[in-house]
Amino acid sequence: TSSCAVKDLGIYINDKLSWSDHYYNMIKEAKKYAGWILRTFTSRSRKVILLLYGSFVRSRLEYSCPLWVPYTKKDTMNIEAVQRSITAKIFEVSHLNYWDRLKALKLYSLQRRRERYCIIHVWKMLQDLTPNDINLSFRTNPRLGPVAELPKLISKRQSFSCLGPRLFNLLPSLVTYGILSANFYRSL
């Protein structure tokens, strides 16, 4: 079956309101740049590869990610495979498995980074640092701290308006009470 996809502000969405076309094009573009980096630069040192990866590849994999956050394991693994592949080329950590490489390189998985972006955006709405354009409401629970109210009728449970508040509500109260930005970011 063929579907019609529309690109708006760099994000693809198809007529079934699915992000699959976006995932495909984003991964293809990121792999193209990863290949370019590995062909162009002979150095496989941590400093060089991480600088180029962060500038050219990861930026493409994370552009506007709270909007299109993947919800199937297959999509998550396909996106994560790009980072897995390029970190395996770094000489100092090539002998380690993926999760140990991330630890040694002081990187987060792309899924963890996407979830962190969602949580930070909800926190910014709570602090009135960004417009609350999804009309998210908050209440204070004496035991849990600030709690985001989940929307009642959402057709896509993995949309930001549902996923962001759910992730935010999982945080311990010590983190959500971190009024200062520096404390909140460090706590995540």
Side-chain angles (χ1 to χ4, degrees), residues 66-88:
L67 177 64
W68 54 260
V69 64
Y71 58 93
T72 66
K73 187 175 183 177
K74 176 186 161 208
D75 291 333
T76 302
M77 296 304 290
N78 287 340
I79 294 168
E80 205 73 44
V82 179
Q83 180 166 281
R84 179 180 290 110
S85 170
I86 202 159
T87 57

Side-chain angles (χ1 to χ4, degrees), residues 19-185:
W19 304 108
S20 57
D21 295 303
H22 179 70
Y23 302 148
Y24 173 78
N25 287 308
M26 172 189 62
I27 291 168
K28 186 172 90 173
E29 192 75 9
K31 284 181 177 178
K32 180 175 85 174
Y33 276 89
W36 172 80
I37 289 168
L38 296 172
R39 283 190 310 275
T40 307
F41 298 90
T42 56
S43 173
R44 295 294 184 260
S45 75
R46 170 190 308 219
K47 185 177 180 181
V48 172
I49 296 294
L50 288 183
L51 176 68
L52 294 168
Y53 167 72
S55 300
F56 295 104
V57 180
R58 189 172 59 201
S59 59
R60 282 168 173 71
L61 293 172
E62 293 181 338
Y63 173 71
S64 207
C65 65
L67 177 64
W68 54 260
V69 64
Y71 58 93
T72 66
K73 187 175 183 177
K74 176 186 161 208
D75 291 333
T76 302
M77 296 304 290
N78 287 340
I79 294 168
E80 205 73 44
V82 179
Q83 180 166 281
R84 179 180 290 110
S85 170
I86 202 159
T87 57
K89 307 294 191 274
I90 298 173
F91 179 73
E92 298 97 335
V93 294
S94 60
H95 63 284
L96 300 173
N97 71 40
Y98 178 57
W99 300 105
D100 291 336
R101 280 197 307 268
L102 290 181
K103 248 183 231 176
L105 297 170
K106 295 184 175 119
L107 293 175
Y108 291 130
S109 71
L110 295 171
Q111 179 182 4
R112 169 110 168 43
R113 290 176 60 91
R114 283 190 299 274
E115 290 171 349
R116 190 172 185 270
Y117 291 144
C118 288
I119 292 169
I120 289 171
H121 194 72
V122 171
W123 181 80
K124 285 181 176 181
M125 285 182 196
L126 171 67
Q127 300 295 324
D128 289 327
L129 298 173
T130 190
N132 187 351
D133 50 358
I134 59 172
N135 296 323
L136 197 58
S137 59
F138 297 91
R139 63 180 168 78
T140 303
N141 180 306
R143 188 174 61 84
L144 302 174
V147 175
E149 298 285 342
L150 290 171
K152 300 286 185 240
L153 298 171
I154 294 286
S155 60
K156 294 268 187 185
R157 289 176 14 128
Q158 290 298 324
S159 67
F160 173 76
S161 20
C162 205
L163 181 67
R166 271 191 293 154
L167 290 170
F168 181 80
N169 291 342
L170 291 173
L171 295 175
S173 62
L174 290 174
V175 174
T176 56
Y177 275 129
I179 302 301
L180 300 174
S181 307
N183 291 341
F184 183 77
Y185 293 131

